[in-house]
Amino acid sequence: MNRILIQHAKGIVQHGRSHIVRGSEMKQLPVLENAWVLIEGDRIAETGSMDEPFHHPVTDVIDAEGKYVFPSWCDSHTHLVFAGSRESEFVDRIHGLTYEEIAKRGGGILNSALRLQDTDESALFDAALERLEEVKRSGTGAIEIKSGYGLSFDAELKMLRVIRRLKEQSELIIRATFLGAHALPIAYRENRSAYVDLLVNDLIPLIADQGLADFNDVFCDRGFFTVEETDRILEVGNRYGLRPKIHANELDFSGGIQVGVKHNALSVDHLECTGEAEIACLQSSETMPTLLPGTAFFLKLHYPPARKMIDAGLPVALASDYNPGSCPSGKMPFVLSLACLYMGMSPEEAINAATLNSAYAMGVLGEAGSIQTGKVANLFITKPMQSLAYMPYAFGSDLIETVILNGKRI
Ligand code: NIG
Ligand code: FE
């Protein structure tokens, strides 16, 4: 069996912790200094201090002098399966159009849906696999991927089959989310409820039956789906065992957070528009508020009030939202930099949010998110770094030297 020893590490980050972190605890990040990690097969077997070195036979030794060992990032919100980029809308926005104006003209998500409907499954798979390769190199080891660019019976199933193939063939831990309610297709503009009927009567039962998704999502926001429609879709999803993980309060105080919490959502995501009422609602829930600062950056929105949420005792997770319209990047280190700079999160808080808390937000806390005996050996070793704060500080630099997934060097 594969036995890899990483030794002389400057620090093992997120060492031994297995629960989510909230409020003031988010400032604390357990780091085992001057340490070693033993990997056996695809698992983390043991960790220890160099004061008591590991002396037994191994198949591979990695010297990590001056370097940190991190658990891989868990990117709990992406739309990584898509057909083609949308830089023409980026240019339209530079010239003054807003994201919502572009969407109203049939651009945005509907533009991606038209292209995806015309793209065959293997081309979608190849492009998505390439994107996974890219995010792997920036330290992502677990990723959630949504449908939602199909927006028809056949094309939504096509997307979910692509995600299933990615699950089978990629080294990353992958979770799939059904997002049929991403935007209303033009054909249903005069008959919204017929589209919701298609989702709840036809697609959700079939997807649950075929095991094609782990979670159920709705874009509950101004100009997209209403609270009433969301309520219906989440209720039916829950009945079929698909826990909600929804888009909420990106464009307005939409009521999305409240309806998500009502249906015991695993996470509610975006949250640019979050006030006292939304924070109070989250306080009495098991729902993870998940922030996507890459989207606020790219769409020039105001950032979610992370500081207020954490100071009110909430946990917060971070994810990329990788998609062709509102955040064409899956680079988690950049997400951390934005969280620190524009949401007032400390480097420790940002690292907690992108590891343990985001592992929870995609239902993989038992296997990912920390360096702990028994978890999957998905981790990375940095280049030599003076301190942990260097990671979000040196934005844009490639600070990751070695990636290990399932116990194998990539
Ligand atoms: O999470 N907000 C809704 N959906 C995506 C954007 C999708 C797109 O523009 O293609 C998001 O930002
Ligand atoms: Fe999204």
Side-chain angles (χ1 to χ4, degrees):
M1 193 183 17
N2 204 23
R3 276 162 76 86
I4 304 179
L5 179 67
I6 304 168
Q7 61 180 4
H8 297 293
K10 184 174 171 71
I12 297 177
V13 179
Q14 202 60 287
H15 176 254
R17 193 152 65 174
S18 58
H19 59 278
I20 64 163
V21 268
R22 60 177 73 239
S24 57
E25 202 192 349
M26 285 195 70
K27 287 193 180 61
Q28 286 143 31
L29 181 63
V31 179
L32 183 65
E33 287 174 2
N34 191 26
W36 53 266
V37 186
L38 178 71
I39 295 166
E40 280 182 348
D42 65 353
R43 299 280 147 172
I44 296 166
E46 236 180 296
T47 57
S49 159
M50 287 310 293
D51 297 341
E52 292 169 52
F54 183 84
H55 282 309
H56 304 284
V58 291
T59 51
D60 194 3
V61 177
I62 302 176
D63 191 83
E65 184 101 42
K67 305 167 187 174
Y68 286 95
V69 179
F70 273 73
S72 297
W73 311 121
C74 297
D75 189 351
S76 62
H77 180 138
T78 83
H79 308 248
L80 173 133
V81 175
F82 56 85
S85 54
R86 302 213 311 254
E87 63 271 30
S88 64
E89 294 176 6
F90 170 67
V91 175
D92 288 343
R93 286 195 298 106
I94 294 168
H95 293 139
L97 280 181
T98 67
Y99 181 75
E100 284 179 274
E101 284 164 349
I102 292 168
K104 272 202 197 107
R105 298 195 317 187
I109 297 166
L110 296 177
N111 176 1
S112 282
L114 281 181
R115 294 211 226 166
L116 187 131
Q117 287 161 6
D118 283 342
T119 306
D120 73 46
E121 216 160 307
S122 65
L124 282 174
F125 174 81
D126 291 346
L129 198 63
E130 212 167 286
R131 290 178 202 119
L132 281 181
E133 289 300 315
E134 187 193 330
V135 300
K136 245 162 53 178
R137 286 192 294 275
S138 56
T140 298
I143 192 163
E144 180 259 16
I145 309 173
K146 299 173 193 297
S147 71
Y149 290 128
L151 304 185
S152 72
F153 184 84
D154 289 337
E156 281 296 308
L157 292 175
K158 175 166 76 174
M159 282 193 82
L160 289 169
R161 284 193 302 270
V162 169
I163 302 172
R164 179 164 66 191
R165 259 182 86 194
L166 294 170
K167 274 189 184 184
E168 289 161 2
Q169 293 193 27
S170 164
E171 303 98 331
L172 281 96
I173 297 169
I174 296 178
R175 291 292 178 270
T177 299
F178 173 54
L179 176 55
H182 197 189
L184 188 77
I186 291 171
Y188 289 87
R189 277 209 173 150
E190 301 312 317
N191 192 2
R192 298 181 64 91
S193 62
Y195 187 63
V196 179
D197 287 344
L198 173 75
L199 302 180
V200 300
N201 296 335
D202 302 329
L203 274 164
I204 289 179
L206 184 69
I207 286 163
D209 183 58
Q210 296 190 359
L212 276 169
D214 303 290
F215 304 111
N216 183 29
D217 197 340
V218 175
F219 187 9
C220 180
D221 225 321
R222 183 174 69 206
F224 290 85
F225 290 87
T226 65
V227 167
E228 292 69 31
E229 290 161 346
T230 306
D231 198 43
R232 193 169 160 222
I233 298 165
L234 299 192
E235 198 211 302
V236 173
N238 267 337
R239 233 189 291 141
Y240 282 91
L242 299 178
R243 195 165 171 193
K245 248 182 85 57
I246 71 165
H247 286 70
N249 296 45
E250 175 184 2
L251 306 170
D252 201 358
F253 288 84
S254 63
I257 294 177
Q258 286 87 342
V259 72
V261 168
K262 173 181 167 195
H263 291 283
N264 191 29
L266 184 58
S267 72
V268 286
D269 302 15
H270 275 291
L271 316 188
E272 281 79 359
C273 301
T274 300
E276 302 301 330
E278 286 77 14
I279 289 178
C281 171
L282 285 162
Q283 276 168 332
S284 53
S285 78
E286 291 177 2
T287 299
M288 179 62 72
T290 298
L291 312 181
L292 315 168
T295 302
F297 168 76
F298 194 69
L299 295 187
K300 299 199 281 181
L301 305 172
H302 58 85
Y303 286 80
R307 204 53 277 146
K308 272 195 184 149
M309 293 179 181
I310 296 171
D311 293 346
L314 290 178
V316 156
L318 288 170
S320 74
D321 199 18
Y322 191 1
N323 76 75
S326 66
C327 186
S329 162
K331 291 218 181 310
M332 287 298 284
F334 184 56
V335 170
L336 270 79
S337 300
L338 293 174
C340 294
L341 281 167
Y342 296 107
M343 303 199 302
M345 291 173 70
S346 69
E348 292 78 10
E349 287 173 327
I351 292 167
N352 279 321
T355 54
L356 281 174
N357 286 3
S358 51
Y360 175 90
M362 58 179 288
V364 299
L365 191 57
E367 53 198 308
S370 60
I371 306 281
Q372 193 190 19
T373 300
K375 284 196 174 180
V376 177
N378 282 9
L379 49 89
F380 61 84
I381 306 169
T382 65
K383 292 178 180 164
M385 293 193 325
Q386 287 294 329
S387 74
L388 285 175
Y390 193 76
M391 172 68 72
Y393 156 82
F395 79 94
S397 294
D398 179 10
L399 297 175
I400 296 175
E401 193 168 79
T402 308
V403 173
I404 294 180
L405 292 174
N406 287 324
K408 293 195 188 69
R409 273 204 227 209
I410 299 299

